[in-house]
Amino acid sequence: MDTLSYKTISANKETAHKEWVVIDATDQVVGRLGSKVAKLLRGKYKPDFTPHADCGDNVIIINADKVKFTGNKWNDKVYLRYTGYPGGQREMTPAQLMKKPNGEEKLLKRVVKGMLPKNRLGAQLLGNLYVYAGSEHKHEAQTPKSIDINSLK
């Protein structure tokens, strides 16, 4: 009996094909950008995707200060956090968050973090995200390739 034998390929740290990609966030909607970036970080676009391993790309987001929200979400959307003390629930809008130092980085990392797994792997994947407000970044030595985020599904 002639049969084909297929082996399930499970990527690990040594066999993962990680790349460096640059994404221009100019005039991109934050939530749609975040979901595509989370897929890139996770490695879901790759044929050798493995759910339990870090097989995604390293993502550099430039022009993060030029992102936009639809509607009036700059002032109406509320991000909550809790200090751990009674009465310690704090709220902040995206407009308030952008006014802080490194606010662009904090905003996009917060958005992407919510779309990653809530475990050690998610924390490790978030470390592969680099956000810059301007068009300059310090990762030229890695020779990142620029991709159009709108072409991804």
Side-chain angles (χ1 to χ4, degrees):
M1 182 164 124
D2 287 333
T3 61
L4 292 174
S5 175
Y6 292 105
K7 298 280 186 187
T8 302
I9 299 170
S10 183
N12 58 24
K13 194 175 187 179
E14 291 78 27
T15 61
H17 305 311
K18 295 175 74 70
E19 297 176 338
W20 285 80
V21 277
V22 176
I23 295 172
D24 188 5
T26 305
D27 293 329
Q28 296 290 328
V29 178
V30 172
R32 293 165 196 254
L33 173 72
S35 65
K36 292 176 183 177
V37 167
K39 275 187 174 181
L40 282 169
L41 286 171
R42 190 91 199 274
K44 289 243 180 169
Y45 289 112
K46 297 188 173 190
D48 59 348
F49 167 68
T50 307
H52 61 80
D54 178 8
C55 55
D57 295 332
N58 295 304
V59 179
I60 304 163
I61 299 177
I62 57 173
N63 294 321
D65 53 345
K66 297 182 177 107
V67 294
K68 64 179 182 178
F69 279 96
T70 57
N72 198 24
K73 291 187 191 132
W74 277 114
N75 299 313
D76 291 348
K77 188 171 182 65
V78 175
Y79 292 122
L80 296 175
R81 64 184 177 86
Y82 181 60
T83 64
Y85 289 95
Q89 185 171 344
R90 305 286 187 254
E91 58 183 42
M92 186 174 290
T93 63
Q96 292 170 334
L97 191 57
M98 285 289 269
K99 290 179 185 171
K100 289 184 169 260
N102 292 335
E104 307 86 10
E105 180 181 2
K106 291 175 185 174
L107 177 67
L108 283 175
K109 282 207 174 194
R110 181 176 191 128
V111 168
V112 173
K113 181 181 178 181
M115 300 179 189
L116 290 174
K118 277 54 170 189
N119 52 24
R120 287 181 288 186
L121 177 63
Q124 182 183 357
L125 293 173
L126 194 64
N128 295 335
L129 176 64
Y130 303 92
V131 182
Y132 297 100
S135 60
E136 299 295 320
H137 61 85
K138 60 182 182 179
H139 303 283
E140 291 298 330
Q142 282 76 21
T143 60
K145 66 175 188 176
S146 180
I147 62 169
D148 180 23
I149 197 72
N150 296 323
S151 65
L152 300 175
K153 292 269 179 193

